DNA sequence: CTGAAAGCGCTTACAG
DNA sequence: CTGAAAGCGCTTACAG
């Protein structure tokens, strides 16, 4: 015998009350007597009743599920952001459903289509590296789907966004190297088709210009994906230049670790002969020796902020805010890889 | 003017066909003429119709959403498992909704209650470290919710499980150290209240026993959470013992990295004087110098296997399989931290 | 404070 | 091959 789920109707029969009364009692509706509420709740517990939330969502044409599109959730940055989203959403009573675009533009578009099926109260998105064009986002916006973008956000598209100031953060990180006495500062960067990596490079340049230091193209290397292995190659390239760098600003931590290792292996002391700063403050920055200075990009907080912004938009009756851009404050965490240099 | 969503009824009016015909045409139901299907699909595209999947789920009392409960998704192992789940589920047409128990037993129980609301076709679970008792899982099982556990699975509870053989993997890893000539092998382990860490310790012991090596309690350290910092302390403890270890088997990679660093800093050569093997094959194992030997625990594949098992159970009409335990083959990846020792 | 009734958008068994 | 109709389980405006 298969047990059928208990419904409001079952409770109604058991208690000889109208279905509507049961529903309201369970909702703690003010116009129901405390005694009735008590009776209903007891019986509900006794029979193991749980509301069919599909039916409820359907009736109210309103769900409590947030969709998240991220390039890849097993990248630490994204898993932290998603953790922040889940944390905030959970407390606000929302569920979080995840989709990986895996940096495929095609898949990203397909996911946005799936999201147009009424199941989602809103969507949080980080664009994939391959994403060109924003028509798929426009479609979502057109159907009034609440949207928040984080980190890699579309330009020229009005929407809620949670970002950090990549330009400013990189500028400060590079100025830190300059203050430590570095004169020939190298950069290992990410693909310049991606806005955030472009901004990090530009922040780096700006710092050099501010301090009248030459920007030498032989000391600038862009990688495809900022991987550890690409970092090794880039660092070796830097080593082969006639002018050796005495400081390196890297757009993430993996390449910064590569740089430290390659230079150390070739007899350079870090930070004494070459200081290194990374970006993202990954766990490895506290493990590598010397510990790596890095920009804390506030991934977890970014997730929380994105969820907060989205839920506010979902629940906003007034509909007065068109869009908002939240910029989180980053923090340059100075560790050994750049800290004692100017004392020598 | 707020645009109302297009419904089957709208299409029905536009095309002068019954709602049921529209529904079937969009479903490619065999009993509908090709011409009608064509007309319907064209019109649906034209008006931007997408099925209200809440209504559909409600009507069919069947959803395409899988719930996942993990302790914390920003732990690399779990983010990889979830990535594997999402990958398989996406291809099978399912969504994945995530919940973090954050190792709180209370929160884990609360989540399992939320899951009893008809929104989920099935649930994939990794127990939290604090979890005691299985009543909350029993409740889910009782209401016929398809379940799959992975990694930290409940004992004494019949259910689908995807695991690796922690005992066997650790035994092999330790035997590898023995083959490399290690005589005094230490162990840095996790909390022995957690099954997998207990098994890893037991595999370690068994290897020593098999080879008639003494198990010295002074060389065995259990940590609370296998963190990098705990690893540092444990390694320092090991160093202070009268008999120094010449091999260390660690229950994860972070503590293994700690061990390498502490011993190196104290003048020990790795692997020549002390060989080290970790567990999980984290990215850091290919970064730390020397590269760390480690057990590949198949996290991504574990996620795929869990999703596969769950979806099979969800879609299984026959209902003939009571439960299944899938054990994935691990792989000991030998790198420098344990590889050249026996040549000296 | 409680109840009767309509209806959300779909699917499906039945009829023709 | 197509249609009419019932109904999934809930919520809510209306009535009393």
């Amino acid at each position: 015998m298969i047990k059928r789920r208990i419904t409001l109707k079952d409770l109604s029969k058991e208690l000889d009350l109208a279905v509507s009364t049961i529903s309201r009692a369970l909702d703690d509706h003010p116009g129901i007597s405390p005694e009735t509420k008590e009776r209903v709740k007891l019986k509900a517990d006794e029979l193991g009743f749980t509301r069919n939330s599909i039916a409820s969502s359907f009736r109210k044409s309103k769900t409590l599920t947030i969709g998240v599109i991220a390039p890849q959730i097993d990248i630490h940055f994204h898993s932290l952001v998603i953790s922040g989203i889940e944390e905030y959403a959970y407390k606000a009573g929302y569920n979080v459903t995840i989709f990986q675009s895996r940096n495929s533009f095609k898949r990203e578009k397909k996911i946005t289509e799936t999201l147009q099926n009424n199941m989602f109260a809103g969507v949080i998105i980080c664009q994939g590296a391959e994403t060109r064009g924003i028509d798929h986002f426009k479609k979502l916006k057109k159907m009034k789907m609440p949207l928040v973008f984080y980190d890699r956000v579309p330009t020229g598209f009005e929407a809620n966004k949670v970002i950090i100031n990549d330009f400013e953060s990189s500028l400060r990180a590079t100025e830190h190297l300059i203050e430590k006495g570095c004169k020939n500062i190298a950069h290992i960067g990410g693909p310049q088709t991606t806005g955030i990596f472009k901004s990090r490079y530009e922040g780096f340049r700006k710092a050099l210009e501010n301090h009248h230091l030459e920007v030498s193209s032989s000391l600038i290397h862009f990688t495809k994906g900022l991987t550890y292995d690409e970092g090794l190659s880039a660092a070796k390239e830097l080593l082969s230049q006639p002018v050796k760098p005495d400081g390196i600003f890297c757009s993430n931590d993996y390449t910064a670790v590569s740089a430290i290792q390659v230079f150390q292996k070739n007899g350079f002391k870090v930070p004494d002969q070459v200081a290194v700063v990374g970006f993202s403050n990954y766990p490895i920055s506290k493990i590598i020796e010397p510990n790596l200075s890095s920009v804390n990009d506030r991934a977890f907080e970014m997730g929380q902020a994105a969820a907060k912004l989205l839920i506010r938009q979902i629940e906003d009756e007034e509909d007065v805010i068109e869009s908002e851009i939240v910029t989180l404050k980053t923090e340059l965490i100075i560790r050994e890889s750049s800290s004692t240099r100017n004392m020598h």
Side-chain angles (χ1 to χ4, degrees), chain A residues 321-332:
Chain A
I321 298 171
E322 171 73 25
S323 68
E324 187 172 341
I325 295 176
V326 173
T327 305
L328 300 177
K329 214 183 238 164
T330 60
E331 178 194 14
L332 176 62

Side-chain angles (χ1 to χ4, degrees), chain A residues 174-315:
Chain A
T174 309
E175 284 191 326
H176 161 68
L177 289 171
I178 296 170
E179 283 158 19
K180 289 294 172 187
C182 302
K183 304 277 183 220
N184 297 301
I185 305 181
H187 176 58
I188 300 179
Q192 295 299 293
T193 43
T194 300
I196 57 171
F197 298 128
K198 193 150 175 276
S199 299
R200 291 181 195 178
Y201 168 56
E202 283 164 358
F204 160 80
R205 277 188 76 102
K206 182 69 177 168
L208 299 194
E209 283 164 16
N210 283 353
H211 293 264
H212 312 295
L213 291 173
E214 202 193 338
V215 179
S216 157
S217 67
S218 68
L219 291 183
I220 293 166
H221 281 268
F222 298 123
T223 65
K224 260 191 72 177
L226 286 169
T227 64
Y228 173 72
D229 287 338
E230 287 172 333
L232 292 179
S233 311
K236 281 172 195 162
E237 278 287 329
L238 289 177
L239 260 180
S240 73
Q241 300 302 320
V243 180
K244 310 287 185 246
D246 54 4
I248 311 177
F249 169 63
C250 304
S251 282
N252 77 349
D253 284 345
Y254 282 130
T255 51
V257 167
S258 311
I260 289 178
Q261 290 183 336
V262 167
F263 275 78
Q264 280 181 335
K265 215 170 278 179
N266 284 274
F268 286 74
K269 291 226 182 314
V270 181
D272 297 14
Q273 289 169 283
V274 58
V276 181
V277 176
F279 208 110
S280 277
N281 195 35
Y282 267 29
I284 198 171
S285 60
K286 291 193 279 287
I287 295 178
I288 186 78
E289 294 184 323
N291 281 190
L292 176 67
S293 299
S294 190
V295 176
N296 179 357
D297 59 10
R298 309 283 187 189
F300 187 81
E301 291 91 337
M302 192 175 273
Q304 290 184 305
K308 188 175 175 183
L309 209 54
L310 187 75
I311 291 171
R312 197 188 64 187
Q313 195 186 347
I314 291 168
E315 297 178 349

Side-chain angles (χ1 to χ4, degrees), chain A residues 71-90:
Chain A
Q72 223 179 309
I73 61 172
D74 49 6
I75 290 174
H76 190 243
F77 172 75
H78 293 292
S79 71
L80 263 180
V81 172
I82 293 172
S83 180
I85 292 172
E86 196 272 345
E87 185 66 20
Y88 189 93
Y90 179 78

Side-chain angles (χ1 to χ4, degrees), chain A residues 93-110:
Chain A
Y94 286 78
N95 293 341
V96 178
T97 298
I98 48 162
F99 299 88
Q100 298 186 90
S101 64
R102 298 196 166 273
N103 285 316
S104 149
F105 186 27
K106 200 174 145 200
R107 188 150 161 180
E108 185 177 291
K109 278 193 288 190
K110 212 176 144 206

